[in-house]
Amino acid sequence: MSESDDTSKSRYEEFTVSGNELLGKVRSLIREGNVRRIFIKNGDGNVLLEIPLTAGVAVTAVAAALSPVLVAVGAIAALVTQVTIGVERRDEDDQAAADGDT
C-alpha cells in the first residue's frame, strides 16, 4: 500500500483578472475549499505572491489566518492593472477522501 505523490493528485489552472477583481476572486477561490495553493503573477509571468492553503481547515479559520495575506493581495491589486491567478487544486477523488466520503 503505497501512497502516490501529492502532485499527481492535483491540477493547475489559471485565470486572468483585472486588478480591481483580484481580491474578490482570491476570496472566492479560498471559499471553494479544494484549493491547495494560489499564485498571483504579473503580466511577465513573475510570481508576486504565493498563498499556500491548509487542507481541511474551516473557511472561517482560513479567512482569519489569511487576513494579512488578503491585505497584501489588496495592495497588489492597487498596483497592477491585470494579473494572472494560478490555482493548484486537489483532484475530486482526493477531495472526497479528505472529506471522509468513501
Side-chain angles (χ1 to χ4, degrees):
M1 293 193 279
S2 63
E3 291 185 29
S4 59
D5 187 7
D6 281 342
T7 56
S8 66
K9 295 182 180 183
S10 63
R11 66 184 199 277
Y12 184 82
E13 57 187 322
E14 290 187 342
F15 306 97
T16 301
V17 297
S18 65
N20 60 355
E21 298 171 334
L22 177 61
L23 189 56
K25 184 66 175 176
V26 169
R27 285 183 176 169
S28 171
L29 290 167
I30 291 170
R31 281 189 219 112
E32 286 182 22
N34 66 340
V35 176
R36 287 185 174 187
R37 193 174 311 182
I38 298 172
F39 302 91
I40 299 175
K41 301 177 184 181
N42 65 8
D44 297 329
N46 298 325
V47 176
L48 302 174
L49 183 65
E50 178 181 342
I51 307 168
L53 300 173
T54 305
V57 177
V59 173
T60 55
V62 169
L66 290 179
S67 291
V69 173
L70 293 176
V71 169
V73 170
I76 290 171
L79 297 173
V80 296
T81 56
Q82 190 169 0
V83 295
T84 300
I85 301 174
V87 181
E88 181 182 326
R89 298 179 185 270
R90 289 183 288 179
D91 276 345
E92 303 305 323
D93 296 337
D94 189 33
Q95 183 177 356
D99 292 341
D101 298 341
T102 54

